Amino acid sequence: MREKLIKLIYEKAFKYSKTPIFRLTSGGLSNYYFNCKAVTLSPEGMYLIGNIIYDMIADLNVKGIGGLTLGADPIATAVAYTSYLRSNPVEAFVVRKKAKEHGTMQWIEGNIKEGDSVVVVDDVITTGSSTIQAITRLKEAGIFVKKVVVLVDRQEGGRENILKFLEECGFPANLEAVVLRDDVMQFIK
């Protein structure tokens, strides 16, 4: 399944240029770019991601899986659906980029609460800032992060930043990437 997912990411989500033309969230320019929504929102991508990541977290005994909207949302939903099919339901949740401005004014949406343990997911990490933002909101809500799973690690320092932040928060330094940049770059000729 993982090899099929790497190929799907290369075909649908990966863009490459000999010169750096892609502006990243971090502000820098790169000669390659991953737009994983083309994979995470596709039926085949959801199937592969749901099964692969579910297998990575099945034994963790967590209440939920989610992360910062929008990158994490389809991943968390795919895993939650797969978990239900496998008779081990894990709730999907969403961490907002800003608090809801009406009603309960929540940062986190879903069926998780203070004291629960969760897995944080993200589609792509470069510096890790989006993942760190999600972890921060969860810690403030009294929710324990057992693991971080990223779909694609660009291998540009994000992993190290997230691991350091997890330790600072008192959470396990537990991060796993499904796909590395190098797994996809092997297809460039």
Side-chain angles (χ1 to χ4, degrees), residues 68-81:
L68 195 68
T69 196
L70 175 72
D73 301 349
I75 296 169
T77 304
V79 176
Y81 180 75

Side-chain angles (χ1 to χ4, degrees), residues 27-115:
L29 287 175
S30 177
N31 64 333
Y32 64 96
Y33 182 71
F34 291 94
N35 180 3
C36 287
K37 276 63 162 188
V39 174
T40 63
L41 294 169
S42 74
E44 182 180 13
M46 287 180 189
Y47 171 77
L48 294 170
I49 290 164
N51 280 281
I52 291 168
I53 295 179
Y54 174 77
D55 288 342
M56 294 167 76
I57 69 161
D59 295 335
L60 289 179
N61 191 30
V62 292
K63 172 74 181 213
I65 185 166
L68 195 68
T69 196
L70 175 72
D73 301 349
I75 296 169
T77 304
V79 176
Y81 180 75
T82 301
S83 74
Y84 184 81
L85 293 177
R86 302 239 203 129
S87 302
N88 183 23
V90 177
E91 298 281 343
F93 67 87
V94 173
V95 178
R96 294 174 175 274
K97 291 183 180 175
K98 64 180 195 167
K100 190 174 178 180
E101 295 180 2
H102 60 281
T104 57
M105 297 185 252
Q106 298 181 126
W107 281 98
I108 302 166
E109 296 290 346
N111 297 310
I112 59 170
K113 63 186 180 326
E114 184 176 355

Side-chain angles (χ1 to χ4, degrees), residues 73 80 94 107 120 127 147 151 153 170 180 182:
D73 301 349
V94 173
W107 281 98
V120 171
T127 65
K147 183 174 188 167
L151 182 58
D153 181 353
L180 301 175
D182 291 349

Side-chain angles (χ1 to χ4, degrees), residues 151-171:
L151 182 58
V152 176
D153 181 353
R154 287 178 53 99
Q155 298 174 279
E156 294 182 15
R159 174 186 183 82
E160 294 76 13
N161 293 340
I162 294 165
L163 289 171
K164 181 178 181 221
F165 189 73
L166 286 166
E167 284 181 352
E168 289 170 2
C169 291
F171 298 143

